[in-house]
Amino acid sequence: MQRIKSLMTWQGLKSPPESLSDVGAIESLRVPGKEEFRELREQPSDPQAEQELINSIEQVYFSTDSFDIVKYELEKLPPVLNLQELEEYRDKLKQQQAAVSKKVADLILEKQPAYVKELERVTSLQTGLQLAAVICTNGRRHLNIAKEGFTQASLGLLANQRKRQLLIGLLKSLRTIKTLQRTDVRLSEMLEEEDYPGAIQLCLECQKAASTFKHYSCISELNSKLQDTLEQIEEQLDVALSKICKNFDINHYTKVQQAYRLLGKTQTAMDQLHMHFTQAIHNTVFQVVLGYVELCAGNTDTKFQKLQYKDLCTHVTPDSYIPCLADLCKALWEVMLSYYRTMEWHEKHDSEDTTSASEGSNMMGTEETNFDRGYIKKKLEHGLTRIWQDVQLKVKTYLLGTDLSIFKYDDFIFVLDIISRLMQVGEEFCGSKSEVLQESIRKQSVNYFKNYHRTRLDELRMFLENETWELCPVKSNFSILQLHEFKFMEQSRSPSVSPNKQPSSTSSKMITLFEQYCSGGNPFEIQADHKDEETEDVLASNGYESDEQEKSAYQEYDSDSDVPEELKQDYVDEQTGDAPVKSVSRETLKSRKKSDYSLNKVNAPILTNTTLNVIRLVGKYMQMMNILKPIAFDVIHFMSQLFDYYLYAIYTFFGRNDSLESTGLGLSSSRLRTTLNRIQESLIDLEVSADPTATLTAAEERKEKVPSPHLSHLVVLTFGDTLYGLAERVVATESLVFLAEQFEFLQPHLDAVMPAVKKPFLQQFYSQTVSTASELRKPIYWIVAGKAIDYEQMLLLMANVKWDVKEIMSQHNIYVDALLKEFEQFNTRLNEVSKRVRIPLPVSNILWEHCIRLANRTIVEGYANVKKCSNEGRALMQLDFQQFLMKLEKLTDIRPIPDKEFVETYIKAYYLTENDMERWIKEHREYSTKQLTNLVNVCLGSHINKKARQKLLSAIDDIDRPKR
């Protein structure tokens, strides 16, 4: 290239920069002509020699543009110049120049067509653009310089461009590194904002970016710092996960789950969650109990904090026991509610994830997600039982820390209510029957209830022995549901419908406690007004609900008076007792006025204070049974003992009379006698004092028995004016009947909670005990009927009558008038008693039935005492009895007259023949041996022989022998 440049210099050409700076030299530019080229071509040429000449050129001539040839040649001159050597050297340089020039000329000639074309273009432009011609000319003249300059500039540009790109990349890397250096600040802010998914996403992106720039020394340290930050995020994430256990927040939990999903640790998160729930249960109960223990201790001693939970529970005072239990259950409810809402969250998001996965195409990712989802679902389902077991154990430990027998009944019921609600929560939580809690509370409840029931039985005995059997005035619309003890039944359902008869839609619409309190509230909140005794309004001030009723009750009803509507509704059916009959005509009222002694009283239930106390006790027992169904059988058994003891007391006070059974009237049914014997054997302690030699078993049995009650000395049953305590007897007996009706009313509710295997006991109790209550009316009122009429006086009067008259009499005997007068007095006394206490129609009917039956049997007995009797005397008997019936029917409306056939059949038997009498004796075994013997001896003795009479007497003796 240097040679080419030298050649161009030799030709007089300049480099383009020089030509551009010397525009005035354009005219002196000379282009080699054809002749010069021809001379160069015509010179003898030896390509090899020329190549050798070119090769002999010193290498320094091929150096850069800054090389100075002239200076170089001058410096080579020796100190002593030799002309000949200089000329030879000059010739050599000329030969080399010529070879180079020829080589250049050859090269130019090879490009002659293009050169000519370009020359023509330059020439054509020379006239219009002298500057272009100068540039073109200088270009030709300084070709080597131009080429050298062009190559260097291009490479410089490329180098600069490459350097620029590297610097841009470096700047970007520096900016990224700067951002990474500032990441820890942003991560701290995001953690404070609880944006865990964002923090983890940012940290992972920073780690990925740091791995790209790991060749920087500063990045290696940053990468280690990011790893520590990620571990710190996981620790804070675990703390955030633990907060879910006590106060579930859907947004907070969503962030936590998204964060664990980014970390790929969803299964680990679920394991940690269950560990936190277990820890939360322990910490929660410990802190609640510790707070109450320290509060009650009244000092800041920290010794309680070092105690185990089991030991800590023993330091809870009785006063703070119930509030502490309530707060304990409330705190545990919050934990279980959080777990419940956690499961709800996963169920909801699993369905959403399933829908989104079905729309995607990443099968491998979907399978992994399904595996995680299945693991989480099984873990959550298993955790339900585990958490509930932990809750039960903690509450059981708390319950065992204090003896529940020290609490009053209401407090104990409240404890049971809390535990029952907790067991309901557990059943809704995981379907568990709460075996741990049930067994624990059942043992304590049974023990508590046995002692409580024993105390109540002793109280009941005391009440019965001090009861004066005065009427407790309650309103006519009184219902046991109005009592505070039965309020729980109104809150649940109507007790008249058993659960298995409840409509199915009712149970399907029931919402669970978790659904009810999911958005707020707590099922264990203590209600300040849980005792609403002030709402009871069952007592009437004076036995009447209003002055108008009291005034109308004592009105005298004649044929022209109108009967008030409220009294029309007070009448009862003869078979159903106190059930109101709404449509009663005036004629019916008039006809019933003779025997219905309840006209002057409002039709309110007849009961005493003791009855009311027993009913309240039944309500309390049912509260316990309703709260804790596992002890339902024990409670119902104790309830039955309350009824048994009340029934036995009424019978002992007013119905026990050994002479009753000797009448042969069957006043006490076999079922009633069986019931009374059972009660006496199982419940009544007939021994006055304990036998020191008795066995331990016998002593334990006696502890479960109650001494037989004794009637209060204030109750007088011997005055005839009061019909021998009829008012007290009515109150006592009808209160028992009312109590039985309430038990019948409660039967569906008891049947619903009674275990299936124990239901035969309940059925037996109702069929053999409760249903016999009304049967006590007969033996109790029989005693009144036996004393209300002077039957002995009537027998004396009948004994003075002469029955062997010879003519038919038209006038009845005086004993009939005396008997009717007794009945009139009885009616008057009955009216007087009814002013004190309402006498229900069934009671008045039984009283009249007993009196009439006794009177009729006394008449037969009087006829059986006759020594001599004629046919006219038998007609007189018939006349007396018809007169008695006619007058009696005006006093009572009982139809038919009891034992009317008993008297008439006996009188008619006087007219029977020998053969008919034998058959009649065998068919009518209701008469006594004395009465039958009198028929044979007195009435038939006159017209039968001795042998026939002996035959009839033998028949009578055969009938009487089995009785003996």
Side-chain angles (χ1 to χ4, degrees):
M1 294 300 291
Q2 188 65 31
R3 286 297 185 182
I4 294 173
K5 182 178 180 181
S6 300
L7 177 62
M8 292 173 67
T9 305
W10 173 73
Q11 289 177 342
L13 296 173
K14 296 181 180 180
S15 61
E18 292 175 351
S19 61
L20 290 173
S21 62
D22 190 8
V23 182
I26 293 177
E27 297 297 335
S28 64
L29 290 174
R30 182 179 62 84
V31 180
K34 295 180 180 180
E35 293 180 356
E36 293 178 351
F37 285 114
R38 187 167 53 248
E39 290 177 359
L40 292 173
R41 285 198 307 270
E42 290 176 355
Q43 291 179 3
S45 60
D46 184 358
Q48 184 175 1
E50 292 177 355
Q51 186 63 38
E52 289 178 356
L53 286 172
I54 294 174
N55 293 337
S56 66
I57 299 174
E58 293 182 22
Q59 190 65 28
V60 70
Y61 286 98
F62 298 99
S63 61
T64 60
D65 294 340
S66 62
F67 177 67
D68 191 350
I69 300 174
V70 177
K71 184 179 179 181
Y72 174 73
E73 290 299 335
L74 290 176
E75 289 177 351
K76 285 176 58 179
L77 292 177
V80 181
L81 300 176
N82 189 338
L83 181 60
Q84 185 178 355
E85 290 177 359
L86 289 174
E87 288 179 354
E88 290 177 357
Y89 185 67
R90 184 192 64 183
D91 292 340
K92 182 182 177 180
L93 290 176
K94 285 183 178 181
Q95 288 176 0
Q96 289 176 350
Q97 179 181 14
V100 171
S101 298
K102 188 173 182 305
K103 184 68 174 178
V104 172
D106 290 339
L107 292 173
I108 292 174
L109 289 175
E110 288 178 5
K111 303 294 181 179
Q112 184 64 28
Y115 173 75
V116 173
K117 184 178 180 181
E118 181 67 20
L119 187 60
E120 289 177 356
R121 190 181 70 82
V122 173
T123 304
S124 64
L125 293 175
Q126 187 175 7
T127 57
L129 188 57
Q130 294 179 352
L131 181 59
V134 172
I135 293 173
C136 289
T137 302
N138 289 338
R140 285 183 66 239
R141 192 174 63 183
H142 300 285
L143 182 59
N144 289 333
I145 298 174
K147 288 182 178 179
E148 184 179 0
F150 174 75
T151 302
Q152 184 178 5
S154 298
L155 292 175
L157 287 173
L158 290 175
N160 291 333
Q161 180 64 22
R162 181 174 179 275
K163 186 176 182 180
R164 180 176 180 272
Q165 293 296 333
L166 290 175
L167 290 175
I168 290 175
L170 178 60
L171 182 62
K172 184 177 180 181
S173 298
L174 291 174
R175 288 175 177 172
T176 303
I177 293 173
K178 183 180 179 180
T179 302
L180 292 176
Q181 293 289 351
R182 296 179 177 178
T183 301
D184 57 341
V185 178
R186 178 55 185 157
L187 285 174
S188 300
E189 293 176 354
M190 297 178 77
L191 290 178
E192 290 179 1
E193 297 171 358
E194 295 185 348
D195 186 8
Y196 304 109
I200 292 177
Q201 184 71 33
L202 178 59
C203 193
L204 293 176
E205 290 177 356
C206 289
Q207 282 188 327
K208 184 177 179 181
S211 64
T212 305
F213 302 104
K214 62 183 178 180
H215 52 281
Y216 295 107
S217 59
C218 61
I219 291 299
S220 60
E221 181 181 352
L222 178 63
N223 201 6
S224 176
K225 186 177 180 181
L226 287 174
Q227 185 62 34
D228 294 340
T229 303
L230 187 60
E231 293 177 0
Q232 180 185 357
I233 292 175
E234 289 189 29
E235 293 176 359
Q236 293 197 22
L237 196 59
D238 189 59
V239 174
L241 186 64
S242 65
K243 295 179 181 179
I244 297 296
C245 301
K246 293 184 179 180
N247 187 16
F248 182 86
D249 181 80
I250 186 170
N251 296 326
H252 181 77
Y253 189 68
T254 302
K255 291 180 181 179
V256 172
Q257 282 297 319
Q258 289 175 352
Y260 274 110
R261 190 175 290 112
L262 288 173
L263 292 174
K265 297 183 178 181
T266 52
Q267 295 185 16
T268 304
M270 192 51 55
D271 295 337
Q272 287 293 108
L273 181 64
H274 281 79
M275 183 187 71
H276 287 313
F277 267 106
T278 302
Q279 190 67 26
I281 292 173
H282 174 76
N283 293 340
T284 298
V285 296
F286 187 86
Q287 291 300 323
V288 170
V289 177
L290 178 63
Y292 275 92
V293 170
E294 291 182 340
L295 179 65
C296 296
N299 55 47
T300 58
D301 193 354
T302 59
K303 65 178 182 179
F304 296 117
Q305 298 179 359
K306 301 176 182 179
L307 294 177
Q308 294 291 327
Y309 174 71
K310 180 179 179 181
D311 299 328
L312 189 65
C313 291
T314 59
H315 289 80
V316 179
T317 62
D319 292 339
S320 61
Y321 185 85
I322 293 179
C324 181
L325 177 62
D327 286 347
L328 193 68
C329 291
K330 283 193 287 186
L332 291 173
W333 160 261
E334 295 296 338
V335 175
M336 288 189 287
L337 179 62
S338 295
Y339 194 89
Y340 175 83
R341 296 186 66 186
T342 301
M343 289 195 66
E344 272 192 338
W345 186 93
H346 281 281
E347 290 175 0
K348 178 181 178 182
H349 284 74
D350 283 351
S351 60
E352 294 177 357
D353 293 343
T354 303
T355 304
S356 60
S358 62
E359 298 174 356
S361 58
N362 189 356
M363 296 301 296
M364 185 174 295
T366 302
E367 291 178 359
E368 184 178 355
T369 303
N370 290 337
F371 177 77
D372 289 343
R373 190 182 301 119
Y375 176 85
I376 292 173
K377 183 178 180 181
K378 290 182 179 179
K379 191 75 175 178
L380 287 171
E381 290 175 351
H382 176 72
L384 284 171
T385 305
R386 179 182 171 185
I387 288 176
W388 176 234
Q389 289 296 331
D390 290 343
V391 170
Q392 287 188 89
L393 290 174
K394 296 300 182 183
V395 177
K396 176 185 176 182
T397 303
Y398 181 82
L399 292 175
L400 295 177
T402 303
D403 184 9
L404 298 182
S405 62
I406 64 176
F407 291 109
K408 295 181 180 179
Y409 180 82
D410 290 339
D411 294 334
F412 184 76
I413 286 293
F414 198 76
V415 171
L416 288 187
D417 187 35
I418 294 176
I419 299 303
S420 175
R421 182 63 61 91
L422 183 62
M423 289 193 291
Q424 181 184 353
V425 169
E427 187 170 352
E428 295 177 0
F429 184 68
C430 62
S432 171
K433 295 299 181 182
S434 310
E435 293 83 0
V436 176
L437 272 179
Q438 280 188 4
E439 186 62 24
S440 174
I441 200 65
R442 185 184 185 281
K443 289 181 180 179
Q444 296 197 57
S445 299
V446 171
N447 293 333
Y448 179 92
F449 200 61
K450 280 184 178 179
N451 297 329
Y452 179 80
H453 175 65
R454 175 65 198 191
T455 305
R456 299 290 81 75
L457 280 178
D458 291 337
E459 286 183 358
L460 178 58
R461 180 171 69 91
M462 180 187 69
F463 287 149
L464 289 171
E465 291 181 345
N466 290 277
E467 178 64 65
T468 58
W469 305 105
E470 295 291 336
L471 185 66
C472 177
V474 294
K475 294 186 177 182
S476 60
N477 62 346
F478 170 75
S479 169
I480 61 173
L481 296 180
Q482 298 170 351
L483 299 177
H484 165 70
E485 288 78 7
F486 291 90
K487 291 297 182 182
F488 73 95
M489 294 182 62
E490 289 185 342
Q491 297 171 0
S492 58
R493 60 174 179 83
S494 173
S496 61
V497 182
S498 60
N500 55 358
K501 296 180 181 179
Q502 290 283 340
S504 59
S505 59
T506 303
S507 58
S508 63
K509 294 180 180 179
M510 293 292 290
I511 61 174
T512 65
L513 293 174
F514 288 95
E515 294 171 342
Q516 182 179 356
Y517 295 99
C518 186
S519 57
N522 196 298
F524 298 99
E525 292 288 347
I526 298 179
Q527 300 296 330
D529 56 346
H530 69 278
K531 292 184 179 181
D532 51 355
E533 297 177 358
E534 67 277 5
T535 61
E536 287 188 1
D537 185 20
V538 297
L539 299 179
S541 58
N542 56 354
Y544 300 94
E545 296 185 22
S546 64
D547 294 338
E548 289 76 10
Q549 288 180 343
E550 183 175 7
K551 181 178 179 180
S552 62
Y554 288 100
Q555 287 181 350
E556 185 69 30
Y557 300 108
D558 52 26
S559 58
D560 298 328
S561 64
D562 293 330
V563 181
E565 189 65 28
E566 62 269 22
L567 290 183
K568 291 182 181 179
Q569 298 179 1
D570 284 342
Y571 290 95
V572 295
D573 186 81
E574 295 182 12
Q575 282 75 32
T576 59
D578 291 338
V581 180
K582 294 185 179 299
S583 56
V584 182
S585 64
R586 182 180 302 174
E587 289 74 12
T588 304
L589 286 174
K590 292 178 181 178
S591 63
R592 287 189 177 184
K593 191 173 69 170
K594 304 170 187 174
S595 58
D596 192 350
Y597 298 89
S598 62
L599 280 174
N600 57 346
K601 288 288 182 181
V602 176
N603 193 20
I606 298 177
L607 67 158
T608 66
N609 289 326
T610 303
T611 316
L612 204 57
N613 287 332
V614 172
I615 293 174
R616 291 187 186 277
L617 272 180
V618 170
K620 290 182 177 181
Y621 284 21
M622 290 186 65
Q623 283 181 20
M624 180 176 289
M625 177 180 60
N626 188 65
I627 292 172
L628 197 63
K629 292 181 176 58
I631 66 169
F633 171 72
D634 302 281
V635 175
I636 292 177
H637 174 67
F638 293 146
M639 285 173 55
S640 68
Q641 289 186 346
L642 292 176
F643 186 85
D644 288 347
Y645 196 71
Y646 194 86
L647 183 148
Y648 185 83
I650 300 301
Y651 172 75
T652 303
F653 293 166
F654 304 105
R656 175 175 289 176
N657 193 332
D658 296 334
S659 63
L660 290 180
E661 301 304 325
S662 63
T663 61
L665 298 178
L667 297 176
S668 298
S669 64
S670 59
R671 184 175 61 169
L672 178 59
R673 290 195 299 271
T674 302
T675 298
L676 292 171
N677 290 334
R678 176 189 61 78
I679 296 173
Q680 182 169 301
E681 292 174 2
S682 62
L683 187 61
I684 306 303
D685 184 8
L686 299 177
E687 299 182 22
V688 179
S689 61
D691 186 1
T693 61
T695 62
L696 182 62
T697 305
E700 290 296 327
E701 290 179 356
R702 290 198 60 209
K703 283 184 179 180
E704 298 180 359
K705 294 184 177 182
V706 188
S708 178
H710 301 285
L711 184 63
S712 171
H713 66 279
L714 299 176
V715 180
V716 181
L717 304 179
T718 56
F719 287 171
D721 293 340
T722 61
L723 284 179
Y724 306 94
L726 177 61
E728 290 80 1
R729 295 176 189 272
V730 169
V731 171
T733 308
E734 299 312 305
S735 68
L736 174 65
V737 173
F738 177 78
L739 186 62
E741 290 173 353
Q742 306 317 303
F743 270 83
E744 293 284 355
F745 176 72
L746 297 172
Q747 183 179 5
H749 188 86
L750 299 179
D751 188 67
V753 297
M754 176 67 96
V757 294
K758 300 293 185 179
K759 285 189 177 182
F761 167 81
L762 184 64
Q763 296 172 357
Q764 183 180 6
F765 168 66
Y766 272 93
S767 61
Q768 297 184 7
T769 305
V770 176
S771 60
T772 60
S774 59
E775 296 181 10
L776 272 180
R777 283 170 169 168
K778 284 188 176 181
I780 289 176
Y781 297 136
W782 177 269
I783 296 175
V784 176
K787 297 179 179 180
I789 307 296
D790 192 352
Y791 304 103
E792 295 295 330
Q793 179 65 26
M794 187 177 68
L795 286 175
L796 293 175
L797 292 175
M798 293 180 68
N800 295 328
V801 176
K802 185 178 181 180
W803 299 104
D804 55 347
V805 294
K806 301 299 182 179
E807 59 182 12
I808 297 177
M809 306 295 293
S810 60
Q811 180 66 31
H812 61 273
N813 287 299
I814 191 173
Y815 75 88
V816 175
D817 296 330
L819 181 58
L820 289 173
K821 185 176 181 181
E822 289 283 337
F823 273 102
E824 290 175 354
Q825 291 179 353
F826 171 73
N827 188 31
T828 302
R829 292 174 181 175
L830 209 56
N831 277 310
E832 291 296 324
V833 172
S834 68
K835 294 179 180 179
R836 288 182 53 197
V837 59
R838 179 176 62 88
I839 300 180
L841 184 60
V843 175
S844 63
N845 286 341
I846 289 176
L847 285 168
W848 276 99
E849 180 184 345
H850 283 343
C851 289
I852 295 172
R853 180 173 279 113
L854 282 171
N856 286 335
R857 290 179 178 268
T858 303
I859 291 174
V860 172
E861 186 66 20
Y863 292 162
N865 291 333
V866 175
K867 303 299 181 181
K868 294 180 180 180
C869 182
S870 62
N871 290 334
E872 291 79 7
R874 290 190 289 272
L876 181 58
M877 292 179 182
Q878 190 72 24
L879 174 65
D880 291 344
F881 186 64
Q882 292 301 324
Q883 178 68 18
F884 171 69
L885 291 179
M886 182 182 65
K887 297 291 185 179
L888 183 63
E889 287 177 351
K890 295 180 180 180
L891 294 175
T892 180
D893 54 1
I894 294 180
R895 302 292 184 274
I897 297 297
D899 281 355
K900 174 183 176 182
E901 294 80 5
F902 184 80
V903 180
E904 291 178 342
T905 303
Y906 190 82
I907 295 175
K908 292 177 182 178
Y910 282 80
Y911 300 98
L912 296 177
T913 62
E914 175 186 348
N915 295 331
D916 293 335
M917 176 61 73
E918 184 177 1
R919 185 176 64 256
W920 186 90
I921 290 174
K922 294 179 180 180
E923 291 177 353
H924 293 80
R925 299 190 177 188
E926 65 270 21
Y927 297 101
S928 66
T929 301
K930 174 186 175 182
Q931 294 168 352
L932 295 176
T933 303
N934 180 267
L935 277 176
V936 174
N937 291 330
V938 177
C939 299
L940 300 180
S942 60
H943 57 271
I944 62 173
N945 56 35
K946 184 176 180 181
K947 183 178 179 181
R949 183 167 63 251
Q950 190 63 36
K951 180 180 178 182
L952 292 175
L953 293 176
S954 299
I956 295 173
D957 188 62
D958 291 339
I959 294 174
D960 184 59
R961 190 175 295 114
K963 297 180 181 179
R964 297 196 297 268

